Amino acid sequence: MTSRTPRDSRLRLVRQRPTATDRRPASHRGSRPAPRPPEGTPPPAELARQARSGLAGAVEMAHWAAAQHGAPGALSDEAAAHAAEALRLTPEEVRADWDRARLVGLVEIHGGAARLGWRLKAWHRDDSAVLRGWVALLDAWSLVSPAPATAEPTAVAEVVEAVPQLLSLLQLSAGPVQVAALLDMLRQRVAELRTERCEVPQDHAVRTAESAHRADGAVAATTADDDEDASLQRLLDWALDALASVGALTVGPGDAAADDGREAVLTALGNWAVWVKLEQICVAAQSPAGNIEQPAPDMLRGCAGLTPGPARAEYRAWLAARPVGSAVIELLDAARGDDALLRGLAFEALRVVGAPAEPSVRAAVDESCLRPYALLWLAEHEGADPEDALDALTREEATWLWVDTAAAISDHGESPLLVRHLESAVQGTVPALLDEVRAVGHPRTVQVLVALAAAHPDPALAKAVRRAAFQVHTGGA
């Protein structure tokens, strides 16, 4: 996909069966040793402890919402006041924690009601889930702290697109960087973005032409440049404050002799997360050793990193160790959970079961979260080619399945896999995909769109996806 204009971006339609993860060939595994984090990076357990500490308020808010037995997904003023009284917080703090809980995946909205997300269920035992949740919050920093109301939307979008480069500079510098230097880089990056879009502001061109003939032309141009510089400074301050609020960096006093003596430095969490993104690595799957004795969810997680052949062998061994009826029940229970990866893998295991699973799978068609998977399973069981099985789904069901699969990749896969997943959508254009994704009502829509925007290399497409994520998050049109 090379177009810079999202409206014209075509999706290559790939007629293939969606799976819960895009597995790499076995020949690629182990071909390159996992990069080592920068010297001084705390171990994952310590990083997870820091993330848990920073998100303690969001966790508490998620537990409160789940305890309301069907609390509405939109936090009303009355609900915010009730939560503030119960948690001894201000309504503003409650809303901030609520937003973070949703963005991290600690709470999910199903049928207009809030319930605990799968990530919260693993919060105290799975450091990987905690760190991925924190990275999801980092990706959504511009939603956590909305831009100044007076800022122009185009300028805000340019700064959001430029922030990854600023974070890379901070990470590669391995120490404090003057805010003035970050502002210089921001100016350069914004200029590059405008050049890439071939945008030359007309009013600036007119001022330049007139300045040769009018005595005050230079003054007018200088004033406009000063205004733009002041706008970039305000937006940089907004970005730094937002990144600091999620725990990615800190800003403090530096050289008092400089015009802006402040310095920014990444926290341990921020330094690790940016390094991970630069290296494009993911947390490795747990070893499959001992899966036969494990309950279905743990067995499926153990098989997540295997290629199809070894995974099917593992499923057969697991199935052989227990009665088929109870095995099918276990697999479907795992599929009903909040982890989309397990949902897809459970139906892969049910394909190994075959005909004995048909009555239970047919009954699962009536469950909204299982329906697309069950329809695909039944279509294949009845003889449909796996590449044509998607014809059994309605457009809405196929879109829901696309989002669910994207959620699995976002939680457990690498960024390039999420970008490649874009090609498997049934829609012909990116705008059409975004419109239908927003309408389908999947509880993970915002997180999927934020992750896709953070991963996609096309700035124009990423901007459109971020806008869609913001609209879904705020309930706007």
Side-chain angles (χ1 to χ4, degrees):
M1 195 175 301
T2 57
S3 171
R4 290 285 184 186
T5 307
R7 186 178 296 107
D8 298 327
S9 297
R10 301 293 299 177
L11 296 179
R12 187 176 68 216
L13 298 181
V14 180
R15 305 292 292 180
Q16 61 183 13
R17 181 181 71 247
T19 57
T21 183
D22 188 357
R23 302 185 184 91
R24 292 173 293 176
S27 59
H28 291 178
R29 294 178 63 84
S31 60
R32 175 177 179 265
R36 297 179 63 85
E39 185 177 355
T41 301
E46 172 59 20
L47 291 171
R49 186 198 65 77
Q50 294 177 20
R52 288 186 178 99
S53 176
L55 290 169
V59 170
E60 189 174 15
M61 184 64 198
H63 281 298
W64 178 87
Q68 303 310 300
H69 304 295
L75 196 65
S76 65
D77 291 341
E78 181 181 358
H82 181 40
E85 180 180 0
L87 301 177
R88 298 183 179 180
L89 300 172
T90 66
E92 292 74 18
E93 291 172 330
V94 163
R95 290 192 178 278
D97 286 338
W98 173 253
D99 279 347
R100 292 178 184 225
R102 289 182 60 193
L103 292 170
V104 173
L106 301 174
V107 65
E108 296 177 358
I109 309 303
H110 293 263
R115 74 181 189 189
L116 292 183
W118 79 267
R119 182 164 278 139
L120 184 58
K121 297 175 183 177
W123 194 253
H124 297 291
R125 61 177 172 79
D126 190 340
D127 290 346
S128 172
V130 173
L131 292 175
R132 285 185 177 277
W134 187 85
V135 170
L137 183 67
L138 174 60
D139 287 341
W141 67 267
S142 61
L143 299 181
V144 174
S145 299
T150 57
E152 295 184 0
T154 300
V156 172
E158 290 170 342
V159 170
V160 172
E161 290 183 36
V163 160
Q165 188 165 331
L166 303 185
L167 291 174
S168 297
L169 172 63
L170 286 166
Q171 198 277 331
L172 294 172
S173 297
V177 175
Q178 287 192 350
V179 172
L182 295 176
L183 180 59
D184 285 339
M185 174 167 277
L186 180 60
R187 292 192 195 100
Q188 297 173 22
R189 182 58 183 145
V190 168
E192 291 171 358
L193 292 171
R194 293 175 180 174
T195 300
E196 291 172 1
R197 295 195 301 267
C198 299
E199 290 184 3
V200 179
Q202 184 178 4
D203 59 336
H204 176 72
V206 171
R207 286 197 308 270
T208 302
E210 291 178 346
S211 65
H213 305 286
R214 295 173 54 190
D216 61 347
V219 175
T222 300
T223 301
D225 290 340
D226 288 345
D227 290 343
E228 181 173 348
D229 197 64
S231 174
L232 280 180
Q233 178 68 72
R234 286 193 295 272
L235 288 175
L236 175 60
D237 288 341
W238 160 67
L240 293 177
D241 288 344
L243 291 165
S245 74
V246 301
L249 54 77
T250 59
V251 179
D255 185 0
D259 291 339
D260 186 344
R262 296 176 301 159
E263 292 181 337
V265 62
L266 291 175
T267 62
L269 267 174
N271 188 66
W272 167 81
V274 176
W275 170 79
V276 167
K277 288 179 177 294
L278 290 174
E279 292 293 333
Q280 294 187 330
I281 64 170
C282 66
V283 177
Q286 295 294 319
S287 167
N291 284 332
I292 294 175
E293 301 299 326
Q294 300 298 321
D298 292 341
M299 180 274 293
L300 294 171
R301 290 190 186 95
C303 295
L306 301 179
T307 51
R312 283 192 294 269
E314 198 75 10
Y315 299 152
R316 291 190 187 98
W318 185 85
L319 292 166
R322 47 192 45 79
V324 66
S326 62
V328 169
I329 291 173
E330 269 199 69
L331 290 171
L332 286 174
D333 285 342
R336 292 185 181 97
D338 296 318
D339 189 340
L341 174 68
L342 297 192
R343 191 153 33 249
L345 293 177
F347 276 85
E348 291 290 343
L350 287 169
R351 287 180 174 88
V352 174
V353 176
E358 180 180 358
S360 297
V361 173
R362 198 170 293 281
V365 168
D366 296 328
E367 300 181 46
S368 59
C369 70
L370 302 184
R371 180 177 176 81
Y373 293 93
L375 289 174
L376 287 176
W377 189 98
L378 291 169
E380 293 179 32
H381 180 65
E382 292 168 1
D385 190 292
E387 294 185 355
D388 298 326
L390 273 175
D391 293 338
L393 305 183
T394 65
R395 182 72 163 249
E396 183 179 2
E397 289 163 351
T399 302
W400 194 97
L401 181 63
W402 186 92
V403 178
D404 205 48
T405 305
I409 297 173
S410 175
D411 288 334
H412 302 279
E414 298 179 57
S415 295
L417 301 183
L418 188 59
V419 175
R420 290 204 296 274
H421 180 58
L422 192 61
E423 298 177 347
S424 69
V426 297
Q427 291 77 11
T429 64
V430 171
L433 171 64
L434 295 179
D435 287 343
E436 295 188 32
V437 163
R438 289 165 54 189
V440 79
H442 194 288
R444 297 291 304 281
T445 298
V446 172
Q447 293 157 357
V448 164
L449 293 178
V450 167
L452 181 57
H456 206 284
D458 187 326
L461 188 146
K463 177 181 176 181
V465 175
R466 275 196 303 271
R467 185 186 302 116
F470 179 81
Q471 291 169 339
V472 175
H473 179 64
T474 59

